[in-house]
Amino acid sequence: MKLLPCSAAKTTSPVTQNTVEDEMEMATVRHRPEALELLEAQSKFTKKELQILYRGFKNECPSGVVNEETFKEIYSQFFPQGDSTTYAHFLFNAFDTDHNGSVSFEDFVMGLSILLRGTVQEKLNWAFNLYDINKDGYITKEEMLDIMKAIYDMMGKCTYPVLKEDAPRQHVETFFQKMDKNKDGVVTIDEFIESCQKDENIMRSMQLFENVI
């Protein structure tokens, strides 16, 4: 949460009788989260955990929403050795479930709930949505390649052993061939989930953050 800067405008006016009015005006435009009770019912977090998350989210981002540019800035701090811009764009779209150009506290909580506490099925559904860039219900080889290239760009040139330029395409060719069971050129969510569940490495990675918050 410390790495969650917010681009909300800050008032520089002196403390006068207008300050209270300014604060009231800001209160009307700031995004307010749904009742914590509702979020508690919808997510896998306790009320106490949600209060902690909201306090951190609000402290770092008083407007209550994060736009894509801010999201990219945050993500770039985690991967200084590479270019995380493209992957952050795809990730932002996965969190921005209503596609309004911003990630609210609710969006953040629901995505985090799945990634940290969700079932394998829920996590795989979320991952499928990430790879399905145009949200048409299918993953094409081009979409998978776009995501894979973005991941390789994000990891930078510091990997060991050093990866070849065509590594993303080779990776995608192998995975796509395994996933596209009926060889129709697209991967459905059923094909995606079935293939992932048979891959021990993917299944292990799904369990890494189950108890983290």
Side-chain angles (χ1 to χ4, degrees):
M1 300 305 294
K2 292 291 183 188
L3 293 171
L4 199 65
C6 182
S7 54
K10 293 185 173 118
T11 179
T12 54
S13 57
V15 180
T16 64
Q17 59 183 7
N18 293 329
T19 303
V20 175
E21 293 177 9
D22 291 343
E23 289 179 354
M24 288 178 66
E25 184 179 352
M26 283 299 293
T28 62
V29 299
R30 283 179 185 157
H31 181 86
R32 296 302 184 193
E34 299 170 22
L36 288 184
E37 288 79 8
L38 182 57
L39 271 178
E40 184 182 2
Q42 293 175 338
S43 73
K44 298 179 188 293
F45 294 126
T46 65
K47 189 172 183 179
K48 181 71 174 176
E49 288 171 335
L50 287 169
Q51 287 171 338
I52 294 169
L53 285 171
Y54 182 59
R55 197 174 300 126
F57 193 93
K58 190 180 176 189
N59 283 345
E60 297 298 332
C61 193
S63 67
V65 293
V66 179
N67 62 28
E68 185 171 340
E69 289 309 307
T70 304
F71 192 87
K72 288 177 179 177
E73 289 173 17
I74 297 165
Y75 223 74
S76 67
Q77 296 177 54
F78 291 101
F79 300 95
Q81 77 277 18
D83 181 2
S84 63
T85 305
T86 306
Y87 187 73
H89 165 73
F90 294 138
L91 198 61
F92 179 86
N93 286 341
F95 269 98
D96 180 18
T97 52
D98 51 7
H99 310 299
N100 65 353
S102 63
V103 172
S104 66
F105 179 66
E106 292 85 2
D107 294 332
F108 175 68
V109 164
M110 295 311 296
L112 208 60
S113 174
I114 292 170
L115 292 173
L116 298 185
R117 304 275 174 84
T119 63
V120 168
Q121 184 84 16
E122 288 170 334
K123 289 176 181 177
L124 290 175
N125 280 332
W126 198 92
F128 181 88
N129 180 57
L130 172 67
Y131 277 84
D132 179 18
I133 296 172
N134 67 357
K135 313 305 178 196
D136 66 350
Y138 302 96
I139 298 174
T140 64
K141 191 181 290 186
E142 289 72 26
E143 286 175 321
M144 190 176 285
L145 184 59
D146 285 344
I147 296 284
M148 201 59 62
K149 280 180 176 176
I151 292 172
Y152 276 69
D153 288 344
M154 179 174 65
M155 300 312 293
K157 305 295 183 185
C158 304
T159 56
Y160 182 83
V162 176
L163 295 165
K164 296 178 181 177
E165 288 294 323
D166 61 346
R169 184 171 293 278
Q170 289 180 350
H171 196 119
V172 168
E173 287 291 344
T174 303
F175 264 88
F176 201 86
Q177 193 172 353
K178 285 182 182 178
M179 290 186 173
D180 185 14
K181 302 290 186 185
N182 62 356
K183 309 302 177 190
D184 63 350
V186 294
V187 173
T188 64
I189 191 163
D190 290 336
E191 289 174 326
F192 180 82
I193 289 174
E194 182 184 347
S195 299
C196 289
Q197 286 178 331
K198 289 179 179 177
D199 190 307
E200 290 183 8
N201 291 327
I202 293 175
M203 286 299 96
R204 275 199 296 270
S205 69
M206 290 282 172
Q207 298 166 359
L208 286 178
F209 305 107
E210 280 186 355
N211 299 309
V212 176
I213 184 169

